[in-house]
C-alpha cells in the first residue's frame, strides 16, 4: 500500500504537477483531504517555492505532510511546535543525505537567483532527463513512508525515545 503512494507521487509529477504537489497529494486522503485540496495547498512550493529555487518543493511537500501529521493546533503549545520542528529537521537531514542538498538550485546545478521567470518549463523527455526531480519526488515520498512506518512501529512497541531514521 505505501509503495503505491510512492509510485503515485512519481506518477503525479510525470503528469505535470509540481514536485510539492506530487508528494503532498499522494498522501492527502490519509489526512482527510481530497487530491484537489492537496494540490491547491501545496501548489506554491514547486520549483523551490514559487520557482525561486530555494527549498526543494518535494521536501516542502513532505514538510506539509509533517504538519498534517505532527503539527500543533494551539498557538501557545511550545512543546508541540518543538516536536513538529524536530520532525521537520530530521526529515530535512534525511532528504539532504539522500539527495545531496535541500536547495532546489543546488539540486538542479543552477545559480540561485532571487526571482526567476515564474513560467514553468514544458514537461518533455529532455526535461525529465536533465533534472533530478523525479528522484527527489520519489525520495521525499519514500522518506515520508519510512517516517510513518517508524511511527507505527514506535506505537506498537511503545518506544517513544528513538529518533527518526
Amino acid at each position: 500500500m505505501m509503495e503505491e503512494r510512492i509510485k503515485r507521487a512519481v506518477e503525479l509529477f510525470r503528469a505535470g504537477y509540481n514536485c510539492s504537489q506530487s508528494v503532498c497529494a499522494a498522501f492527502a486522503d490519509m489526512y482527510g483531504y481530497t487530491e484537489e485540496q492537496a494540490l491547491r495547498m501545496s501548489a506554491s512550493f514547486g520549483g523551490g517555492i514559487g520557482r525561486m529555487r530555494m527549498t526543494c518543493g518535494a521536501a516542502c511537500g513532505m514538510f506539509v505532510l509533517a504538519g498534517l501529521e505532527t503539527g500543533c493546533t494551539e498557538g501557545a503549545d511550545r512543546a508541540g511546535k518543538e516536536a513538529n520542528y524536530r520532525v521537520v529537521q530530521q526529515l530535512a537531514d534525511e532528504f539532504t543525505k539522500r539527495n545531496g542538498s535541500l536547495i532546489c538550485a543546488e539540486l538542479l546545478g543552477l545559480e540561485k537567483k532571487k526571482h526567476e521567470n515564474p513560467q514553468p518549463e514544458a514537461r518533455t523527455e529532455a526535461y525529465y532527463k536533465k533534472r533530478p526531480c523525479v528522484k527527489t519526488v520519489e525520495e521525499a515520498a519514500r522518506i515520508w513512508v519510512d517516517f510513518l512506518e517508524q511511527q507505527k512501529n514506535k506505537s506498537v512497541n511503545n518506544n517513544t525515545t528513538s529518533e527518526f531514521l
Side-chain angles (χ1 to χ4, degrees):
M1 175 79 170
M2 286 300 195
E3 195 63 34
E4 291 301 314
R5 291 185 184 277
I6 296 166
K7 289 178 184 173
R8 179 68 179 143
V10 171
E11 287 170 4
L12 286 164
F13 185 76
R14 288 199 166 270
Y17 294 100
N18 74 39
C19 41
S20 181
Q21 290 175 306
S22 301
V23 173
C24 193
F27 297 88
D29 63 303
M30 293 177 63
Y31 301 98
Y33 289 94
T34 66
E35 190 170 276
E36 181 181 351
Q37 289 170 320
L39 293 169
R40 287 182 186 275
M41 79 170 86
S42 57
S44 300
F45 300 106
I49 306 174
R51 205 163 187 260
M52 292 185 290
R53 307 300 186 205
M54 296 165 92
T55 304
C56 171
C60 288
M62 185 175 59
F63 301 151
V64 169
L65 295 171
L68 293 172
E69 182 76 21
T70 68
C72 67
T73 58
E74 297 293 327
D77 183 2
R78 293 181 66 216
K81 289 177 187 178
E82 179 184 352
N84 172 253
Y85 295 163
R86 179 175 283 110
V87 168
V88 169
Q89 289 178 12
Q90 292 167 347
L91 293 168
D93 288 347
E94 187 62 23
F95 185 90
T96 300
K97 184 173 105 179
R98 295 186 190 191
N99 295 289
S101 180
L102 190 62
I103 306 303
C104 176
E106 292 174 7
L107 292 165
L108 297 179
L110 302 173
E111 194 173 309
K112 188 169 70 172
K113 301 172 187 149
K114 181 158 174 84
H115 295 290
E116 188 174 307
N117 174 358
Q119 184 175 0
E121 286 187 54
R123 296 289 183 89
T124 63
E125 279 308 308
Y127 170 95
Y128 291 113
K129 284 182 182 175
K130 73 179 181 178
R131 295 181 175 275
C133 304
V134 170
K135 177 186 179 289
T136 58
V137 165
E138 181 177 354
E139 284 299 329
R142 190 169 302 287
I143 291 165
W144 188 246
V145 165
D146 291 348
F147 171 78
L148 292 175
E149 289 176 353
Q150 184 192 43
Q151 293 304 107
K152 181 180 171 186
N153 290 339
K154 278 168 65 173
S155 68
V156 167
N157 297 327
N158 200 18
N159 177 4
T160 58
T161 58
S162 68
E163 291 289 316
F164 170 61
L165 300 173

